[in-house]
Amino acid sequence: MELYVLIIDDNLKLKEDTLVWELQDKFGESNVFFISNPKEALEFINSNLDKNIIILLDIQFPDNEMNGHNILSEIRKLSELIPVILWSGVNESKETFSDFINNNAFRFISKTATNNEVMEVIDEAVKYFKTNLDNTIEDWIIQKDEDKDKAVYFTSDGKSYTLNEILYEIRSQTDIGKSFAKKLNELTIDLLLRKKEDLND
Amino acid sequence: MSKSSQTQINYLNFNFDVSSYRLLGRELITDRITALFEIVKNSYDANADRVEVEFIDVNPRNQKSKIIIKDDGLGMELNDLKNKWMVIGTSSKRRERTSPAPYNRKVVGKKGIGRFAVDLLGSKLTLKTKKKGEKQWIFLETDWSQYSDLEARQLTLPFGEDREYFTDIKNNYWFENANENEQGTILEIESINDTWTEYDVVRAYKELARLVSPNSKITKYPFNIKIKSNYEGYEDVLVKPLSFVEFATISIELKHDKERGVQEIIVFEKGELIKKEVSPRHFGLVDFYLYYFNQSDKRKFKDKFNIDIDGIKIYRDGIITTPFAETEADQNKQKDILGIDKRRYSGFFNKVSSRDLLGFLELTDENNTNVIEATNRQDFIDNDEWKQVKLFIIEQIQQVEKLLQYERENIRQVTKSDLGKANEELKNIKQTIASVKKEVSPEVKKQLQFIEADLGKLQGTVNKSIRDYAKLEEDSKQKESLFFSLVSLQTYAAMFSHMTKHTIGHVLRDAEYFNKYFPNERLNDRFKLISNRIYSEFLTLRTGVDFMLKYAQSDSEVEDINLYELINNLFNNIYSNAFKSESIECQLELSNKLILNYNKKAIEDIFDNLISNSVKALKGNNDKKIKCSGIIEQDKLVLYFSDNGIGIPDEDRFRVFDIFFTKTAEDGGAGIGLYMVKTRIEAMQGSIEIVDNEFKPTGATFKIVLPFKK
């Protein structure tokens, strides 16, 4: 499973921060991105929805740009699947958090955090990806390439989707992708309850 | 409410986690009056015509103590209970902005908070609810003490990994037959947490009274709140907005006339406040009621109502708007949404604060469509209309301040001249006695000598009073200046702590990395970079600390200052981060041999303020520039300080130096900076003015003239 990290921060100094090195060492140099302009960052996310991206997001940006609050809500319009870690030097007692909760922020860490502390949270995000439906499908495809083009989902208007196509739909958070995920879960539960299948570790 | 025989018991589970419970519940509702307020707001949102808050046996607290809150609102179905009441209200999907037709009330309650409010009042709740047309009332029982126990055991940080759900706890529900036409929600709270004294109930009454504007015209769907208790006068009362106009020192009631399209405002002219009609502001026509209370009237007000005077609130169609709908008992924690107290320092030279004012700005949905409450409920959407609203309110307050200042100045002048006159008269009497003395008998002469001696003493006293008075004026000037340095210190401290946080983060991670990987040949380049960075970060930190420490030093010392170095330090050290992050290019054209003999902090303050002023003016520009240049003309230094920011409109040219005149309140502008610049410069016998801007087409240029000391 290929993972990417995107840091969205207006402070260019951070580009050379040891944290970036640690991330590069862990995920590969070309898998860590630093974008200081919120709009560019959103464009980047939008064109890479099919990838696994962990985002580190600053809260304060120059006044004429979007801030962390707006950026997170824009990200959520694109996808619910991306873990967004807020990372900020703001005065926490003055910050409002309810919209972060609403928009399902992954964690909140301070700008004074050590690399270790940040990497722990990053590891949790990695774990989160590993258990995700889309990644399970991807792993399946990698192991059984022949299943890739088999149709697994049929809509009422007569369309069919292969496993590979469904993976794309889930990652792009389309209605098809979402309803497939929901129905798949319901199907699994139904199978388990009717003792058609057993789940063992 | 007992379970009748026909009931069948089922269970519902709350669907939220411990951290949300803590974050959104306990932290938002800190006292029980607020709790009550929240519950009543929910009734309003449910289109209730009336809500009744009944206190039963609440003093002393016992087994039979109860609080019942009953409304005739829309009520809930079982599905609503499951999907709304039992789920914490953070989902944006449920955040409707208006209540159902035909009421279409602007929603004031915080979704999902009401039930935590209940928790604060008492640990056991029986909720009874029904929609019109349903055949049965639904009853739901919750015992909050179980949840608190669970919370205590599982307390984790917000955003923590293990989101524990309270799903183990069962909440009984059952049905009872009812008349189809009935509707509403009844909260019956038992095991109440606190005793409600008469004082508490009265306070509840007064807080609830703020929900509805005292000036609201009868709306089509009025909202009535009733309180029932055992206390005299509060056995069964309709909550009515307080009438306090008679207590105010100054009352201003500004209306509008829609047909003629005119707005009333007040203007201070020749010693009095005069109402004038002007064309409507950008945000539309409003009514504005403003009441000022001086110390003694404030006391009378408090004696009478036992509530705080707490500023201006905005109502829409007669109901309080959401940013003002959050009651906060601790006045220090109340938000300064209108920016009135940003101009802080109440009473200090004629500024009034929220604690001196009560006010009601009455918006209507129809007239003021674009003044919109922000979805986070803490503020209004920061558009042009909202900025104009704030400006409008501040301008009106300023008129009151002008009047107060005028009155105070009047008294001062009268005192001063009375003292002077008394002194003159004493002199005259002495002279008269001296001339009379020559022509009178020895006995009278002796008497006159006594009188002369007494007069001498009296004259001494008067002279001393005159001196004392002068000293008092001098003192208050000094206090003023001390107070100004404190203000700029505060701004600086905020900037400084933000900067330190970043610096510490960098250095900490650098050190950590070094510690973890050193030695390693492959990483030598990185280690080099790290050591360089630690060095430069600490230099930045040192400059910051030095600058801060200077504030702590004494104020009056005069020293030789190299002006070039001083400004250069501000440009390239103190402000370098701010300039970098805002991409501001700075330019300094000044002889580096020029030495001024002044108080260093005063000079630093001047440029500090000019720079921060320019930084704000440059927000939103692309190619940002700040420039300072100076030339020596005979016995004076002429400095030009320019930026290419938004510039200063012609009409503001002279008032930008007025204290508390600000157009950047949103950026933390307190309207003190340029005033301080001007007073400091004038204290040096210099002058400052705005001249034609150096950078075209936009921008501002200040011309500063400082005389060389002889």
Side-chain angles (χ1 to χ4, degrees), chain A residues 9-11 13-22 24-25 29 58 60 62-64 86-92 96-108 110-119 124 127, chain B residues 19-20 23-24 89-92 95 158-163 376 378 497-498 500-506 508-510 512-514 516-517 523 525-527 529-530 533 537 540 577 580-582 619-621 624 666-667:
Chain A
D9 201 308
D10 62 313
N11 182 358
K13 266 191 191 174
L14 276 172
K15 217 171 172 173
E16 287 276 281
D17 198 276
T18 55
L19 174 64
V20 177
W21 300 340
E22 293 275 21
Q24 286 172 344
D25 290 349
E29 204 159 320
D58 188 19
Q60 276 187 323
D63 273 20
N64 48 342
L86 293 161
W87 137 266
S88 167
V90 294
N91 179 348
E92 282 130 50
T96 49
F97 286 97
S98 56
D99 63 314
F100 288 144
I101 299 179
N102 288 339
N103 285 321
N104 202 8
F106 192 77
R107 291 289 186 282
F108 186 94
S110 163
K111 275 271 161 76
T112 56
T114 64
N115 289 326
N116 262 342
E117 286 162 348
V118 180
M119 293 311 275
E124 282 175 40
K127 207 163 82 191
Chain B
S19 53
S20 317
L23 257 174
L24 297 170
T90 58
S91 164
S92 51
R95 218 180 270 144
F159 300 104
E161 184 184 10
D162 303 311
R163 297 204 160 193
N376 70 7
Q378 309 297 313
S497 61
H498 187 79
T500 2
K501 257 198 167 172
H502 281 88
T503 303
I504 289 173
H506 285 304
L508 186 65
R509 286 188 295 275
D510 280 344
E512 185 193 18
Y513 191 89
F514 193 86
K516 196 168 165 190
Y517 297 112
L523 298 177
D525 283 349
R526 286 184 173 181
F527 293 143
L529 202 84
I530 284 177
R533 187 161 50 205
E537 289 288 325
T540 319
N577 273 338
K580 244 179 245 163
S581 74
E582 299 280 326
K619 287 248 156 84
N621 258 38
K624 300 174 183 177
E666 302 77 32
D667 298 328

Side-chain angles (χ1 to χ4, degrees), chain A residues 6-8 19 23 54-58 85 87 109 118 122:
Chain A
L6 168 63
I7 302 169
I8 311 173
L19 174 64
L23 290 169
I54 297 168
I55 294 176
L56 269 179
L57 174 63
D58 188 19
I85 300 162
W87 137 266
I109 47 181
V118 180
I122 295 277

Side-chain angles (χ1 to χ4, degrees), chain A residues 46-101:
Chain A
N46 196 19
S47 49
N48 289 287
L49 282 176
D50 55 337
K51 303 200 175 69
N52 295 315
I53 312 176
I54 297 168
I55 294 176
L56 269 179
L57 174 63
D58 188 19
I59 297 180
Q60 276 187 323
F61 283 83
D63 273 20
N64 48 342
E65 287 178 29
M66 284 189 272
N67 63 24
H69 293 268
N70 317 128
I71 298 171
L72 178 61
S73 91
E74 287 301 313
I75 293 175
R76 284 294 169 250
K77 283 182 195 158
L78 298 173
S79 168
E80 289 286 338
L81 300 177
I82 304 170
V84 179
I85 300 162
L86 293 161
W87 137 266
S88 167
V90 294
N91 179 348
E92 282 130 50
S93 61
K94 282 197 178 152
E95 192 54 51
T96 49
F97 286 97
S98 56
D99 63 314
F100 288 144
I101 299 179

Side-chain angles (χ1 to χ4, degrees), chain B residues 14 16 84-89 112-119 144:
Chain B
F14 276 102
F16 47 69
K84 292 182 181 165
W85 179 260
M86 306 300 286
V87 180
I88 198 159
I113 297 304
R115 74 215 65 156
F116 298 105
V118 173
D119 170 32
W144 292 97

